[in-house]
Amino acid sequence: MKLRAACCAFAGLALALAIALAAEDVAPIRFEEIAGRAGVRFAIENSAAGHKYQPEAMVAGVAIFDYDGDGYPDLYFVNGGGMPSLRRDGPQFKNRLFHNNGNMTFTDVTDKAGVAGSGYGMGVAIGDYDNDGRPDIFLASLTGNQLFHNNGDGTFTDVTARAGVGGGTFDGRKMWSVSAAWVDYNNDGLLDLFVSNYCQWQPGADPDCRMNGQRFYCSPRYYKPLPNTLYRNNGDGTFTDVSVETGIARHPGRGMGVAVADYDGDGYPDIFVANDASPNQLFHNIGGKRFEEVAGETMIAYAEDGKLISGMGADFRDVFNTGHPAIWETALENQTFPLFVGSARGFFDDRTAQAGLAATGSMAGWSNAIVDLDNDGWKDLVVARSNVMDNIAAFSHRTYEEPNAVFRNLGNGRFENVSATAGAGFQLPAAHRGLAVGDLDNDGRMDAVVSVMNGQAKIFHNITQNGNHWLLLQLTGTKSNRMGIGARIRLTTGDGAVEYNHATTSTGYASSSDPRVHFGLGRAESAREIEILWPSGIRQALRDVPADRVVRIVEPAR
């Protein structure tokens, strides 16, 4: 979609000028870690016991979504299991659902809701697959995926078998799935399901990898890759695996994070997969019928130096308000977190160094997000950090636990690492894994929730104080899918600046973020125009929308 893209450069300059004029009022992005007093007590249990089974390091994702429709986003954490049994033989292995009480406290409702899950979990994706207005839960797993249907009464039903989304097999074993994305790839008004699969693994078959006499997790190169999976929604509660007929299955990889955007503006969503020790993949959607893998020709298969990276998490959004989405990917130390910026030419420019992100080469990152944390109209970058090797200190100067990081968008094509002023709790090192973003208290400031390996999860409440304004758009599709996933939005502020975003829940590594679409407005007290292009092709415009509120938007009939 090119929504009057000709004005983008002028609008970007206008917004940059507005920020420059207000520079004296810039306040630091700040978080307060509140999980303890909020009543959220959850720790990932991976059952690591020194054998270095490959899946132990990979757990697990987190989701932010409003499961009961009360207007306040709730939290869902994915957990591991026993190793090498891969079973859940105790309550410590449950996934956990926490209900938002509306006052920044949460209540564990896992058992009542029936969503404890089974097997050895990895990722979570939220989407309303049957358009009943209630978001459902898909779980990616090492031992067989699960789909929980939201019954609308605070409970869920496991419908995996009937839906047919339990996962493919190799050598008689379930494929190891890590992340997933709900996406209406054919624009028929029904959410389809894309699942990233990792590698061929089975208990007891890990190579014995050692350094300085210490056993460690082997490189992914020791394990054969797997193809990803695409399920088409049949509209009757069942799905059909269309991986082969759409071309998805022809491209195996070691899939980690999944992110979705329409990078070429043709009206059909495209799918990016961050691969571990394999070239990244970009599946270009051809008319909602098939996909071409174009990462090489669009210049995002490899990092800036042309080397493979250990791709982990990814987000896929317009980061510089140009009308073209960018991909930001996390990786391990000595690799940087690449930033690929889209263009009208149909390929991406690697702006990692130019954007001031070269120093990420000293970091190891898992889940991440592109989100405006200070509501200045420019999307910032946030990442949950930790090394993979829990014993890395035995043969390196590095540490396993790392602090998280946040990079402020300066509005001039560059980012500044502002982690040091983001709050004491934000800077505490830990084995961080999943990260999702959302506005937990509806105050317009986007919060972050992070899961921790064998440690307590963290809630980073955004307490940034700067007087900037905001809007949250809650979309309801009618002809399009009910959640409006895939809708592309162009917002013009009252000051004349233009911003872009789109509706998606698939962010980071194995995680799912608030489905509402967030815009920071800077000093503007209203949006002059909000223009929405729904997946159905219907265009809708709202004008003179006051700031600082959640705006509920229903897709018109035509």
Side-chain angles (χ1 to χ4, degrees):
M1 176 185 69
K2 294 181 174 63
L3 296 172
R4 297 200 290 274
C7 71
C8 295
F10 173 79
L13 290 173
L15 187 52
L17 177 60
I19 291 172
L21 291 174
E24 66 274 11
D25 297 323
V26 170
I29 295 170
R30 290 187 61 82
F31 297 99
E32 182 182 21
E33 203 289 295
I34 63 167
R37 74 168 185 258
V40 174
R41 294 171 181 84
F42 172 82
I44 296 171
E45 298 286 349
N46 68 344
S47 299
H51 298 286
K52 299 300 183 246
Y53 297 114
Q54 193 72 5
E56 295 169 353
M58 308 276 284
V59 192
V62 59
I64 298 177
F65 72 116
D66 182 4
Y67 81 92
D68 59 350
D70 66 356
Y72 288 94
D74 310 297
L75 309 179
Y76 188 80
F77 294 91
V78 180
N79 212 339
M83 185 63 75
S85 71
L86 307 182
R87 296 192 301 269
R88 294 189 170 181
D89 294 327
Q92 72 273 25
F93 295 122
K94 289 181 181 179
N95 298 348
R96 297 284 179 177
L97 175 63
F98 291 90
H99 175 254
N100 188 333
N101 300 322
N103 58 0
M104 288 305 284
T105 69
F106 294 79
T107 300
D108 187 335
V109 295
T110 308
D111 293 337
K112 176 184 176 182
V115 291
S118 62
Y120 203 98
M122 289 285 155
V124 55
I126 302 299
D128 182 2
Y129 75 89
D130 57 352
N131 288 332
D132 64 356
R134 302 186 292 264
D136 310 298
I137 304 172
F138 177 81
L139 301 177
S141 173
L142 176 65
T143 50
N145 304 325
Q146 291 181 280
L147 177 61
F148 288 97
H149 176 257
N150 189 332
N151 300 321
D153 59 359
T155 69
F156 291 76
T157 299
D158 186 338
V159 295
T160 309
R162 179 177 185 273
V165 293
T169 61
F170 81 94
D171 291 342
R173 302 185 64 87
K174 286 290 186 182
M175 288 202 291
W176 176 359
S177 300
V178 171
S179 297
W182 290 102
V183 52
D184 185 1
Y185 80 91
N186 54 7
N187 290 340
D188 66 353
L190 300 169
L191 286 178
D192 310 297
L193 182 63
F194 181 94
V195 182
S196 70
N197 299 314
Y198 187 58
C199 68
Q200 298 181 24
W201 178 88
Q202 54 185 323
D206 292 276
D208 188 353
C209 298
R210 295 179 182 268
M211 185 179 295
N212 297 336
Q214 294 274 345
R215 187 165 183 171
F216 63 93
Y217 294 111
C218 295
S219 165
R221 292 181 177 88
Y222 283 83
Y223 306 88
K224 294 181 180 179
L226 290 171
N228 300 304
T229 306
L230 178 64
Y231 295 100
R232 186 183 64 229
N233 191 332
N234 298 323
D236 59 358
T238 69
F239 293 77
T240 298
D241 186 338
V242 293
S243 309
V244 173
E245 69 181 73
T246 58
I248 295 294
R250 288 200 293 268
H251 305 280
R254 300 180 183 91
M256 300 278 272
V258 179
V260 180
D262 181 4
Y263 83 93
D264 59 348
D266 65 355
Y268 290 93
D270 310 297
I271 302 169
F272 174 80
V273 180
N275 277 307
D276 192 359
S278 299
N280 290 327
Q281 294 168 327
L282 179 59
F283 292 101
H284 179 218
N285 191 333
I286 309 298
K289 297 179 180 179
R290 60 185 180 89
F291 289 85
E292 292 180 343
E293 203 291 294
V294 297
E297 63 193 72
T298 56
M299 310 297 287
I300 61 173
Y302 303 94
E304 199 167 29
D305 57 6
K307 296 180 180 178
L308 284 175
I309 64 171
S310 300
M312 310 287 270
D315 204 354
F316 198 170
R317 296 180 191 271
D318 187 338
V319 74
F320 292 137
N321 291 323
T322 63
H324 304 288
I327 297 168
W328 185 49
E329 180 182 15
T330 62
L332 297 184
E333 69 274 11
N334 303 318
Q335 297 179 345
T336 74
F337 301 162
L339 178 67
F340 303 106
V341 178
S343 70
R345 296 165 291 174
F347 60 86
F348 294 78
D349 297 319
D350 191 323
R351 302 272 187 89
T352 310
Q354 184 180 340
L357 298 173
T360 57
S362 65
M363 305 174 182
W366 289 82
S367 195
N368 61 325
I370 300 173
V371 56
D372 187 351
L373 294 168
D374 55 3
N375 286 331
D376 65 354
W378 297 98
K379 299 180 190 69
D380 311 296
L381 310 176
V382 60
V383 55
R385 290 173 50 195
S386 167
N387 206 279
V388 172
M389 305 294 180
D390 55 4
N391 60 345
I392 194 170
F395 45 85
S396 168
H397 68 281
R398 299 189 61 84
T399 60
Y400 174 49
E401 298 182 336
E402 295 187 19
N404 296 310
V406 60
F407 304 89
R408 182 174 182 268
N409 191 331
L410 302 178
N412 60 2
R414 293 184 61 82
F415 294 86
E416 178 186 5
N417 187 343
V418 295
S419 308
T421 58
F426 190 79
Q427 275 293 284
L428 291 177
H432 303 107
R433 286 297 185 269
L435 176 147
V437 294
D439 187 357
L440 300 181
D441 54 354
N442 294 332
D443 68 350
R445 292 172 292 190
M446 297 295 278
D447 310 299
V449 180
V450 180
S451 59
V452 177
M453 185 73 76
N454 301 310
Q456 288 300 315
K458 301 178 180 181
I459 298 179
F460 294 111
H461 182 218
N462 191 334
I463 56 172
T464 304
Q465 300 289 332
N466 58 15
N468 287 336
H469 299 285
W470 56 274
L471 284 171
L472 267 176
L473 309 184
Q474 182 173 325
L475 305 182
T476 300
T478 53
K479 187 175 180 181
S480 302
N481 68 85
R482 181 68 177 260
M483 290 179 71
I485 286 178
R488 288 168 286 159
I489 302 165
R490 177 184 184 271
L491 183 147
T492 304
T493 72
D495 295 335
V498 177
E499 304 174 34
Y500 297 86
N501 209 340
H502 65 279
T504 181
T505 62
S506 302
T507 56
Y509 171 77
S511 295
S512 190
S513 288
D514 192 337
R516 299 175 298 180
V517 186
H518 173 258
F519 286 92
L521 304 183
R523 296 300 179 181
E525 296 182 356
S526 67
R528 181 186 303 172
E529 182 180 69
I530 301 172
E531 189 173 359
I532 304 168
L533 181 57
W534 295 86
S536 65
I538 292 174
R539 292 179 183 267
Q540 181 179 11
L542 289 75
R543 294 180 175 83
D544 299 322
V545 180
D548 304 329
R549 64 196 63 208
V550 178
V551 182
R552 292 170 174 80
I553 303 173
V554 178
E555 180 182 18
R558 58 178 178 81

